[in-house]
Amino acid sequence: MNAIDVRAIVKKFGDFTAVKGVSFTVDDGEIFGLLGPNGAGKSTLIRMLTTLLPPTAGTALVNGFDIVRQADGVRRSIGVIPQAMTSDLELSVEENLIIFSKLYGVPRVKRERLITELLAAVELTQWRTAQVKNLSGGMRRRVEIARGLVHEPRVFFLDEPTTGLDPVSRVAVWEMLRQLKRERDLTILLTTHYMDEADKLCDRIAIVDHGELKALDTPTRLKASIPGLNSLEMTFLSPPEGWAQTLEALPSVEGVTNQDGVFRIATYNGPATTSAILETAAYAGVPVLSLSVQSTTLDDVFVHYTGRALRDELQEASAQDSPFMLRR
Amino acid sequence: MQRAWAIIERELRRFRRSPVLIAMAMIMPIIQLVVLGYAFGGNVKHLKVAIVDQDHGVPAVKVRELASAMASGAGTIDTVDYADPGQALDDLRNGRVNGVLTIPPEFSRRVLEKNQPRVALVADNTDTFVSNALAGVLSGMMAAYGQPAHAPRVPGEATLDVVEVYPYVPYVQYLLPGSVVMSVFVMVMIGGGIIFIDDKARGLHEGYLVTPITKFELIAGFNVSGTIKAVLAGVVLMIVGSLIAGIPSPFDPLRLLRLFVVIVITAFALISLMFLLMVRVSDPLLPRATFGVLNTLLYFPSGAVYPQQGFPGWMQVIAVVDPFTYAVHALKCLLLKNTGFAAISYDLMFLSLFAVVAMTAATLLFKRTL
């Protein structure tokens, strides 16, 4: 059975269509990433899957429950970490977990055992009685991860779990999520706009832009799917007229651009193209000033499928962001 | 209902750790009680009266003696003698004196002829309260002047005898019921309005909405916790305020029980009103912006500071639907007159009905999704 089965789901806000008929499935035990800039529809999608927003059309099954007709079954099956910081700052780590445990109706005996286990899993045992307001951003995020798991959900939704965290805390969160997934037989769906996060953490990635699914596969296969497996960046001392055309004619070369003397060469075969260019340059008497070879990154994949770079969009505020929303 | 209790537990734990919030909800009504109570309640004293005697006869001297006797006795007025009537009027205009009592030249002659003797009071009526007080004091004085030294055994004129049923009620006690209702309202406004919307805006409610909690459990959790906080505020203010204002026998257990019932019903009525107003609001600035307006609109027409009989018609309409009116009336009965439930049953009925209607409407408007 698929943990999540999304079927042609649509969400409109007035005239604006935030999600335009998206379909995909997430296998049991997968870490599935929704990658896209702010405003791409990731949060809307996750809010529909977690029963916070009713879809305008289409539906989805989460752990076999229909998100519209069996919302309560969905809610019992899922743990959710929203984008905003939603722990109670005045309460202690343990109190935050206890309250949510009660909200999910976890029996008392089980509650104590689970909370102890979870605090150990997110390495907060020694902070059990500390007020959340005294914890760092990374620790607060770990409190929320533990909070989302107090009722042993089958599917775990995380909306931008590492936004605002420093690099060390981010890696710690990734490690924790991998371990939790292994130990608790979880399926994890997360949204992110970090390429490295999607690349290193996720088993499969869906690229979302303007409310549409642009591509879906494993990170490796996504990178292999686009032309120009490598890209070369070279500069030459006084390249002659038509030099770009000369380079473009070489075998395996997909395309050449020249920007202020920096030639970017996309190629299917990096090593062969490199030696071919060096030979051509030596023959033509054009000295090479610099040469660098880059493998395809998810950035290239993203640009290929959406036609724009992700980092340009990072500073754009999401429409749902409230001025009072606490970010980590 | 276990889930509703989880919300109540969370709210009360947060409340206990926010001493500033508790203090703010108490301080405003207490300051208002003390400042308004003593600013408005007192009798005016030491009003300066210029006395211009243009007569100098024996009857005129008697008027001046009466006036100085009042000045040294009750102290309501202080007298200053002026020779020049023009100077006295100038000083009245400049605010150095509050009134000018003129004894005209033919006063003694008219007294002796029994031909309508008069003295004149020129008062600064920009402050009606002061000029009315002066007129009252001085007409009393002139009435005493007119009395014969030996009153006839059976007076011929009809008089009014006033019997006061209750001991003297200082203004600060008169204000106390309104302050108790205000403290309940401030807590409802902060706890049920501002914090509720802030939590919503911060996304805290999203945390509730993804759990299997039902709509009814959510509403019950929010409103019961809000009511508990508001009742705490009301009870503390009722006790502290009674001590400040000097309410007789403030710890009479039966009365405390009745007061508690009124405060609980009032808190529930006001939290229902607040929930109805805020159920579809998501902008955190809105409850802050409406705080002052709501406070003024509910508090002043309620009869807490001035009798409702003095209101213009449109304000009496507000007063009729204002839940404060009934809460203030019930608390006045209990605090000032120590009545039983019979005197306030209508108030309790109105407040309960108000709560049920507002809560039903709010529940219908409440959305289980974002």
Side-chain angles (χ1 to χ4, degrees), chain A residues 47 50-54 72 75-76 78 80 82 84-92 95 98-100 102-105 111 131 147 322 324-326, chain B residues 2-7 9-10 13-14 16-18 198-199 201-214 283-285 288 368-370:
Chain A
R47 282 175 170 165
T50 57
T51 75
L52 284 171
L53 285 177
D72 215 48
R75 290 176 190 138
R76 283 171 208 282
I78 60 171
V80 185
M85 229 293 299
T86 58
S87 288
D88 268 324
L89 301 178
E90 296 88 359
L91 299 194
S92 73
E95 285 170 329
I98 289 175
I99 300 278
F100 266 81
K102 287 181 178 172
L103 282 173
Y104 280 104
R111 183 193 304 159
Q131 276 180 279
R147 197 191 77 187
S322 126
F324 274 64
M325 195 169 96
L326 294 186
Chain B
Q2 195 207 354
R3 299 194 175 98
W5 280 114
I7 293 187
E9 183 186 340
R10 175 188 204 169
R13 278 178 189 272
R14 287 169 70 191
R16 211 179 57 204
R17 307 227 170 114
S18 330
D198 282 6
D199 283 356
R202 277 171 54 190
L204 244 68
H205 289 193
E206 275 190 53
Y208 290 137
L209 296 177
V210 294
T211 73
I213 195 166
T214 62
D283 184 350
L285 296 176
R288 290 169 169 76
R368 176 66 178 74
T369 52
L370 284 182

Coordinates of all heavy atoms in Angstrom, one line a residue, chain A residues 47 50-54 72 75-76 78 80 82 84-92 95 98-100 102-105 111 131 147 322 324-326, chain B residues 2-7 9-10 13-14 16-18 198-199 201-214 283-285 288 368-370:
Chain A
R47 N -0.8 21.3 3.6 CA -2.0 21.6 4.4 C -3.2 20.8 4.0 O -4.0 20.4 4.8 CB -2.3 23.1 4.4 CG -1.3 23.8 5.2 CD -1.5 25.3 5.1 NE -0.7 26.0 6.2 CZ -0.4 27.3 6.2 NH1 -0.8 28.0 5.2 NH2 0.3 27.8 7.1
T50 N -2.7 17.2 5.3 CA -2.9 17.1 6.7 C -4.2 17.6 7.2 O -4.4 17.9 8.4 CB -1.8 17.9 7.5 OG1 -1.8 19.3 7.0 CG2 -0.4 17.4 7.2
T51 N -5.2 17.7 6.3 CA -6.6 18.0 6.6 C -6.8 19.5 7.1 O -7.9 19.8 7.6 CB -7.3 17.1 7.6 OG1 -6.8 17.4 8.9 CG2 -7.0 15.6 7.3
L52 N -5.8 20.3 6.9 CA -6.0 21.7 7.4 C -6.8 22.5 6.4 O -7.5 23.5 6.7 CB -4.7 22.4 7.6 CG -3.9 22.0 8.9 CD1 -2.5 22.6 8.9 CD2 -4.7 22.5 10.1
L53 N -6.7 22.2 5.1 CA -7.4 22.9 4.1 C -8.2 21.8 3.2 O -7.6 20.8 2.8 CB -6.5 23.6 3.1 CG -5.8 24.9 3.6 CD1 -4.8 25.4 2.5 CD2 -6.8 26.0 3.9
P54 N -9.5 22.1 2.9 CA -10.2 21.2 2.0 C -9.8 21.4 0.6 O -9.6 22.6 0.2 CB -11.6 21.5 2.3 CG -11.6 22.9 2.8 CD -10.3 23.2 3.4
D72 N -10.7 12.2 10.1 CA -10.3 11.8 11.5 C -9.3 10.7 11.4 O -8.3 10.6 12.2 CB -11.5 11.4 12.3 CG -11.4 11.8 13.7 OD1 -11.0 12.9 14.0 OD2 -11.6 10.9 14.6
R75 N -6.0 12.1 10.6 CA -5.4 12.9 11.7 C -4.8 11.9 12.7 O -3.8 12.2 13.3 CB -6.5 13.7 12.4 CG -6.9 14.9 11.5 CD -8.0 15.7 12.2 NE -8.5 16.7 11.2 CZ -9.8 17.0 11.0 NH1 -10.7 16.4 11.7 NH2 -10.1 17.9 10.1
R76 N -5.4 10.7 12.9 CA -4.8 9.7 13.8 C -3.6 9.1 13.2 O -2.7 8.6 14.0 CB -5.9 8.6 14.1 CG -6.9 9.0 15.0 CD -8.0 8.0 15.1 NE -9.3 8.6 15.5 CZ -9.6 9.0 16.7 NH1 -8.7 8.8 17.7 NH2 -10.7 9.6 17.0
I78 N -1.2 10.7 11.3 CA -0.1 11.5 10.9 C 0.4 12.3 12.0 O -0.3 12.6 13.0 CB -0.6 12.5 9.8 CG1 -1.8 13.4 10.3 CG2 -1.0 11.8 8.5 CD1 -2.1 14.6 9.4
V80 N 2.5 16.1 12.4 CA 2.7 17.2 11.5 C 3.6 18.3 12.2 O 3.3 18.6 13.4 CB 1.4 17.9 11.2 CG1 1.6 19.1 10.2 CG2 0.4 16.9 10.6
P82 N 4.4 22.0 11.5 CA 4.1 23.1 10.6 C 5.4 24.0 10.5 O 6.4 23.8 11.2 CB 3.1 23.9 11.3 CG 2.7 23.2 12.6 CD 3.7 22.1 12.8
A84 N 5.7 27.2 11.0 CA 5.9 28.1 12.1 C 6.4 27.4 13.3 O 6.1 26.2 13.5 CB 4.6 28.9 12.3
M85 N 7.0 28.2 14.2 CA 7.4 27.6 15.5 C 6.1 27.6 16.4 O 5.6 28.6 16.8 CB 8.3 28.6 16.2 CG 9.6 28.1 16.7 SD 9.4 27.0 18.1 CE 8.7 28.2 19.2
T86 N 5.6 26.4 16.7 CA 4.3 26.3 17.4 C 4.4 25.7 18.7 O 3.4 25.3 19.3 CB 3.3 25.5 16.5 OG1 3.8 24.2 16.3 CG2 3.1 26.2 15.2
S87 N 5.6 25.5 19.3 CA 5.7 25.0 20.6 C 5.4 26.1 21.6 O 5.5 27.3 21.3 CB 7.1 24.5 21.0 OG 7.3 23.3 20.3
D88 N 4.9 25.7 22.8 CA 4.6 26.7 23.8 C 5.9 27.1 24.5 O 6.5 26.3 25.1 CB 3.6 26.2 24.8 CG 2.2 26.5 24.5 OD1 2.0 27.6 24.0 OD2 1.4 25.6 24.7
L89 N 6.3 28.4 24.3 CA 7.6 28.8 24.9 C 7.6 28.8 26.4 O 8.6 28.5 27.0 CB 7.8 30.3 24.4 CG 7.9 30.4 22.9 CD1 8.1 31.9 22.5 CD2 9.0 29.6 22.3
E90 N 6.4 29.1 27.0 CA 6.4 29.2 28.4 C 6.4 27.8 29.1 O 6.7 27.7 30.3 CB 5.1 29.9 28.9 CG 5.0 31.4 28.5 CD 4.3 31.5 27.1 OE1 4.0 30.5 26.5 OE2 4.2 32.7 26.7
L91 N 6.0 26.8 28.3 CA 5.9 25.4 28.9 C 7.3 24.7 28.8 O 8.1 25.0 27.9 CB 4.8 24.6 28.2 CG 3.4 25.1 28.3 CD1 2.4 24.1 27.9 CD2 3.1 25.6 29.7
S92 N 7.5 23.7 29.6 CA 8.7 22.9 29.5 C 8.6 21.9 28.3 O 7.5 21.7 27.7 CB 8.9 22.1 30.8 OG 8.0 21.0 30.8
E95 N 6.2 19.2 29.2 CA 4.8 19.6 29.2 C 4.3 19.7 27.7 O 3.1 19.3 27.5 CB 4.7 20.9 29.9 CG 4.8 20.8 31.4 CD 4.9 22.2 32.1 OE1 5.4 23.1 31.5 OE2 4.4 22.3 33.2
I98 N 3.5 16.3 26.7 CA 2.3 15.7 27.4 C 1.0 16.2 26.9 O 0.1 15.5 26.6 CB 2.4 16.0 28.9 CG1 3.6 15.2 29.5 CG2 1.1 15.7 29.7 CD1 3.9 15.5 31.0
I99 N 1.0 17.6 26.7 CA -0.3 18.2 26.2 C -0.7 17.5 24.8 O -1.8 17.2 24.6 CB -0.1 19.7 26.0 CG1 0.3 20.4 27.3 CG2 -1.4 20.3 25.4 CD1 -0.8 20.7 28.3
F100 N 0.3 17.4 23.9 CA 0.0 16.8 22.6 C -0.4 15.4 22.7 O -1.3 14.9 22.0 CB 1.1 17.1 21.6 CG 0.8 18.4 20.9 CD1 1.1 19.6 21.4 CD2 0.1 18.3 19.7 CE1 0.7 20.8 20.8 CE2 -0.2 19.5 19.0 CZ 0.1 20.7 19.5
K102 N -2.0 14.1 25.2 CA -3.4 14.1 25.6 C -4.3 14.5 24.5 O -5.4 13.9 24.4 CB -3.5 15.1 26.8 CG -2.9 14.5 28.1 CD -3.2 15.5 29.2 CE -2.6 15.0 30.5 NZ -2.6 16.0 31.6
L103 N -3.9 15.4 23.6 CA -4.7 15.8 22.5 C -4.9 14.6 21.6 O -6.0 14.5 20.9 CB -4.1 17.0 21.7 CG -4.2 18.4 22.3 CD1 -3.3 19.3 21.5 CD2 -5.6 18.8 22.3
Y104 N -4.0 13.7 21.5 CA -4.1 12.5 20.7 C -4.7 11.4 21.4 O -4.9 10.3 20.9 CB -2.8 12.1 20.1 CG -2.3 13.0 18.9 CD1 -1.4 13.9 19.0 CD2 -3.0 12.8 17.7 CE1 -1.0 14.7 17.9 CE2 -2.6 13.5 16.6 CZ -1.6 14.5 16.7 OH -1.2 15.2 15.6
G105 N -5.0 11.6 22.7 CA -5.6 10.5 23.5 C -4.8 9.3 23.7 O -5.2 8.2 23.8
R111 N 2.0 6.8 27.3 CA 2.5 8.2 27.2 C 3.9 8.4 27.8 O 4.8 8.9 27.2 CB 1.4 9.1 27.9 CG 1.7 10.6 27.8 CD 0.8 11.4 28.7 NE -0.6 11.1 28.5 CZ -1.5 11.3 29.4 NH1 -1.2 11.8 30.6 NH2 -2.8 11.0 29.2
Q131 N 12.2 25.2 30.1 CA 11.2 25.9 29.3 C 11.7 26.0 27.9 O 12.9 26.3 27.6 CB 10.9 27.3 29.9 CG 9.9 27.3 31.0 CD 9.7 28.7 31.6 OE1 10.5 29.1 32.4 NE2 8.6 29.3 31.2
R147 N 7.4 16.1 19.5 CA 6.0 16.3 19.7 C 5.1 15.7 18.6 O 4.0 15.2 18.9 CB 5.8 17.8 19.7 CG 4.5 18.3 20.3 CD 4.2 19.7 20.1 NE 3.8 20.0 18.7 CZ 3.6 21.2 18.2 NH1 3.9 22.2 18.9 NH2 3.2 21.3 16.9
S322 N 2.4 35.3 8.6 CA 1.8 36.3 9.4 C 2.9 37.1 10.0 O 4.0 36.6 10.2 CB 0.9 35.7 10.4 OG 1.3 36.2 11.7
F324 N 3.2 37.9 12.9 CA 3.4 37.4 14.2 C 4.0 36.0 14.2 O 4.3 35.4 15.3 CB 2.1 37.4 15.0 CG 1.8 38.7 15.7 CD1 1.6 39.8 14.9 CD2 1.8 38.8 17.0 CE1 1.3 41.0 15.5 CE2 1.5 40.0 17.6 CZ 1.3 41.1 16.8
M325 N 4.2 35.4 13.0 CA 4.7 34.0 13.0 C 6.1 34.0 13.5 O 7.0 34.8 13.0 CB 4.6 33.5 11.6 CG 4.8 32.0 11.5 SD 4.3 31.4 9.9 CE 5.9 31.4 9.2
L326 N 6.4 33.2 14.4 CA 7.8 33.1 14.9 C 8.6 32.1 14.1 O 8.2 31.0 13.8 CB 7.8 32.5 16.4 CG 7.2 33.4 17.4 CD1 7.4 32.8 18.8 CD2 7.8 34.8 17.4
Chain B
Q2 N -11.4 14.5 27.1 CA -10.0 14.5 27.6 C -9.2 15.5 26.8 O -8.4 16.2 27.3 CB -9.4 13.1 27.4 CG -8.1 13.0 28.2 CD -7.2 11.9 27.6 OE1 -7.6 11.2 26.6 NE2 -6.0 11.9 28.1
R3 N -9.6 15.7 25.5 CA -8.8 16.6 24.6 C -9.1 18.1 25.0 O -8.2 18.9 24.9 CB -9.2 16.3 23.2 CG -8.9 14.9 22.7 CD -8.9 14.8 21.2 NE -8.4 13.5 20.9 CZ -9.3 12.5 20.6 NH1 -10.6 12.7 20.6 NH2 -8.8 11.3 20.3
A4 N -10.4 18.3 25.3 CA -10.7 19.7 25.8 C -9.9 20.0 27.0 O -9.4 21.1 27.2 CB -12.2 19.8 26.1
W5 N -9.8 19.0 27.9 CA -9.0 19.3 29.2 C -7.6 19.5 28.9 O -6.9 20.3 29.6 CB -9.2 18.1 30.1 CG -10.5 18.2 30.9 CD1 -11.5 17.3 30.8 CD2 -10.8 19.2 31.8 NE1 -12.5 17.8 31.6 CE2 -12.2 18.9 32.2 CE3 -10.2 20.4 32.3 CZ2 -12.9 19.7 33.1 CZ3 -10.9 21.2 33.2 CH2 -12.2 20.9 33.6
A6 N -7.0 18.9 27.8 CA -5.6 19.1 27.4 C -5.4 20.6 27.0 O -4.5 21.2 27.4 CB -5.2 18.2 26.3
I7 N -6.4 21.1 26.3 CA -6.3 22.6 25.9 C -6.4 23.4 27.2 O -5.7 24.4 27.3 CB -7.5 22.9 24.9 CG1 -7.2 22.2 23.6 CG2 -7.5 24.4 24.7 CD1 -8.1 22.6 22.5
E9 N -5.7 22.6 30.2 CA -4.4 22.5 31.0 C -3.3 23.3 30.4 O -2.6 24.1 31.1 CB -4.0 21.0 31.0 CG -2.8 20.7 31.8 CD -2.3 19.3 31.7 OE1 -3.1 18.4 31.3 OE2 -1.1 19.0 32.0
R10 N -3.2 23.3 29.1 CA -2.2 24.1 28.4 C -2.4 25.6 28.7 O -1.4 26.3 29.0 CB -2.3 23.8 26.9 CG -1.3 24.6 26.1 CD -1.6 24.5 24.6 NE -0.5 24.8 23.8 CZ -0.4 24.5 22.5 NH1 -1.4 23.9 21.9 NH2 0.7 24.8 21.8
R13 N -1.6 26.5 32.3 CA -0.1 26.4 32.6 C 0.6 27.7 32.0 O 1.4 28.2 32.7 CB 0.5 25.2 32.0 CG 0.3 23.9 32.8 CD 0.9 22.7 32.1 NE 0.6 21.5 32.8 CZ 1.3 21.0 33.8 NH1 2.3 21.6 34.2 NH2 0.9 19.8 34.4
R14 N 0.2 28.0 30.8 CA 0.8 29.2 30.2 C 0.4 30.5 31.1 O 1.2 31.3 31.3 CB 0.3 29.4 28.8 CG 0.9 28.5 27.8 CD 0.2 28.5 26.5 NE 0.4 29.8 25.8 CZ -0.3 30.1 24.7 NH1 -1.2 29.4 24.3 NH2 0.0 31.2 24.1
R16 N -0.3 30.7 34.2 CA 0.4 30.7 35.5 C 1.8 31.2 35.3 O 2.4 31.8 36.2 CB 0.5 29.3 36.1 CG 0.5 29.2 37.5 CD 0.5 27.8 38.0 NE 1.6 27.1 37.5 CZ 1.7 25.7 37.4 NH1 0.6 25.0 37.7 NH2 2.7 25.1 36.9
R17 N 2.4 31.0 34.1 CA 3.8 31.4 33.9 C 3.8 32.8 33.3 O 4.9 33.3 32.8 CB 4.5 30.5 32.9 CG 4.3 29.1 33.4 CD 5.6 28.3 33.4 NE 5.3 27.0 34.2 CZ 5.4 25.8 33.7 NH1 5.7 25.7 32.4 NH2 5.1 24.8 34.4
S18 N 2.7 33.5 33.2 CA 2.7 34.9 32.7 C 2.2 35.9 33.7 O 1.1 36.4 33.6 CB 1.8 35.0 31.4 OG 1.8 33.8 30.7
D198 N -3.4 36.0 18.6 CA -1.9 35.8 18.5 C -1.6 34.4 18.2 O -0.7 34.0 17.4 CB -1.2 36.3 19.7 CG -1.1 37.8 19.7 OD1 -1.7 38.5 18.9 OD2 -0.4 38.4 20.7
D199 N -2.2 33.5 19.0 CA -1.9 32.0 18.9 C -2.3 31.6 17.5 O -1.6 30.8 16.8 CB -2.7 31.2 19.9 CG -2.1 31.3 21.3 OD1 -1.0 31.9 21.4 OD2 -2.6 30.7 22.2
A201 N -2.5 33.5 14.8 CA -1.5 34.0 13.8 C -0.2 33.3 13.8 O 0.5 33.2 12.8 CB -1.4 35.5 14.0
R202 N 0.3 32.9 15.0 CA 1.5 32.2 15.1 C 1.5 30.8 14.6 O 2.5 30.2 14.5 CB 2.0 32.2 16.6 CG 2.7 33.5 17.0 CD 2.9 33.5 18.5 NE 3.6 32.2 18.9 CZ 3.7 31.9 20.2 NH1 3.2 32.6 21.1 NH2 4.4 30.8 20.5
G203 N 0.3 30.3 14.3 CA 0.1 29.0 13.8 C 0.0 27.9 14.9 O 0.0 26.7 14.6
L204 N -0.2 28.4 16.1 CA -0.5 27.4 17.2 C -1.7 26.6 17.0 O -1.8 25.4 17.4 CB -0.5 28.2 18.6 CG 0.6 27.8 19.6 CD1 1.9 28.4 19.0 CD2 0.3 28.4 20.9
H205 N -2.7 27.3 16.4 CA -4.0 26.5 16.2 C -3.9 25.4 15.2 O -4.6 24.4 15.3 CB -5.1 27.5 15.8 CG -5.5 28.4 17.0 ND1 -6.7 29.2 16.9 CD2 -5.0 28.6 18.2 CE1 -6.8 29.8 18.1 NE2 -5.7 29.6 18.8
E206 N -2.9 25.6 14.3 CA -2.6 24.6 13.3 C -2.3 23.3 14.0 O -2.7 22.2 13.6 CB -1.5 24.9 12.4 CG -1.9 25.8 11.2 CD -0.7 25.9 10.2 OE1 -0.2 24.9 9.8 OE2 -0.4 27.1 9.9
G207 N -1.5 23.4 15.1 CA -1.1 22.3 15.9 C -2.3 21.5 16.5 O -2.3 20.3 16.5
Y208 N -3.4 22.3 16.9 CA -4.6 21.6 17.4 C -5.4 21.0 16.2 O -5.9 19.9 16.3 CB -5.5 22.6 18.0 CG -5.1 23.2 19.3 CD1 -5.2 24.6 19.5 CD2 -4.6 22.4 20.3 CE1 -4.8 25.2 20.7 CE2 -4.2 23.0 21.5 CZ -4.3 24.4 21.7 OH -4.0 24.9 22.9
L209 N -5.4 21.7 15.1 CA -6.3 21.3 14.0 C -5.8 20.0 13.3 O -6.6 19.3 12.7 CB -6.5 22.4 13.0 CG -7.1 23.7 13.5 CD1 -7.2 24.7 12.4 CD2 -8.5 23.4 14.0
V210 N -4.5 19.7 13.4 CA -4.1 18.4 12.8 C -4.3 17.2 13.7 O -4.0 16.1 13.3 CB -2.6 18.5 12.3 CG1 -2.5 19.5 11.2 CG2 -1.7 18.8 13.5
T211 N -4.7 17.4 15.0 CA -5.0 16.3 15.9 C -6.5 15.9 15.7 O -7.3 16.6 15.1 CB -4.8 16.7 17.3 OG1 -5.8 17.6 17.7 CG2 -3.5 17.4 17.5
P212 N -6.8 14.7 16.2 CA -8.2 14.3 16.0 C -9.2 15.0 16.9 O -10.3 14.5 17.1 CB -8.2 12.8 16.4 CG -6.8 12.4 16.7 CD -6.0 13.7 16.8
I213 N -8.9 16.1 17.5 CA -9.8 16.8 18.4 C -11.1 17.3 17.6 O -11.0 17.6 16.4 CB -9.1 18.1 19.0 CG1 -9.9 18.6 20.2 CG2 -8.9 19.2 18.0 CD1 -9.1 19.6 21.0
T214 N -12.3 17.2 18.2 CA -13.5 17.6 17.5 C -13.7 19.2 17.7 O -13.1 19.8 18.6 CB -14.7 17.0 18.1 OG1 -14.9 17.4 19.5 CG2 -14.6 15.4 18.1
D283 N -6.2 38.8 12.0 CA -5.2 39.8 12.2 C -5.0 40.2 13.6 O -5.9 40.6 14.3 CB -5.8 41.1 11.4 CG -4.7 42.2 11.4 OD1 -3.7 42.1 12.2 OD2 -4.9 43.2 10.7
P284 N -3.8 40.0 14.1 CA -3.5 40.2 15.5 C -3.7 41.6 16.0 O -3.8 41.9 17.2 CB -2.0 39.8 15.7 CG -1.6 39.2 14.4 CD -2.6 39.5 13.3
L285 N -3.7 42.6 15.0 CA -3.8 44.0 15.5 C -5.3 44.3 15.8 O -5.6 45.2 16.5 CB -3.4 44.9 14.3 CG -1.9 44.8 14.1 CD1 -1.5 45.7 12.9 CD2 -1.0 45.1 15.3
R288 N -6.4 44.3 19.5 CA -5.7 45.4 20.2 C -6.4 46.7 19.8 O -6.6 47.6 20.7 CB -4.3 45.5 19.8 CG -3.5 44.4 20.3 CD -2.1 44.3 19.7 NE -1.2 43.4 20.4 CZ -1.3 42.1 20.3 NH1 -2.2 41.5 19.5 NH2 -0.4 41.3 20.9
R368 N -13.4 24.4 11.4 CA -12.4 23.3 11.9 C -11.2 23.3 11.0 O -10.2 22.7 11.3 CB -13.2 22.0 11.8 CG -12.4 20.7 12.2 CD -12.0 20.8 13.6 NE -11.2 19.5 14.0 CZ -10.0 19.3 13.7 NH1 -9.3 20.1 12.9 NH2 -9.4 18.2 14.1
T369 N -11.2 23.9 9.8 CA -10.1 24.0 8.9 C -9.5 25.4 8.9 O -10.1 26.3 9.5 CB -10.4 23.6 7.5 OG1 -11.5 24.5 7.1 CG2 -10.8 22.2 7.4
L370 N -8.4 25.6 8.3 CA -7.7 27.0 8.3 C -8.6 28.0 7.5 O -9.2 27.6 6.5 CB -6.4 26.9 7.6 CG -5.3 26.3 8.5 CD1 -3.9 26.3 7.7 CD2 -5.1 27.0 9.8

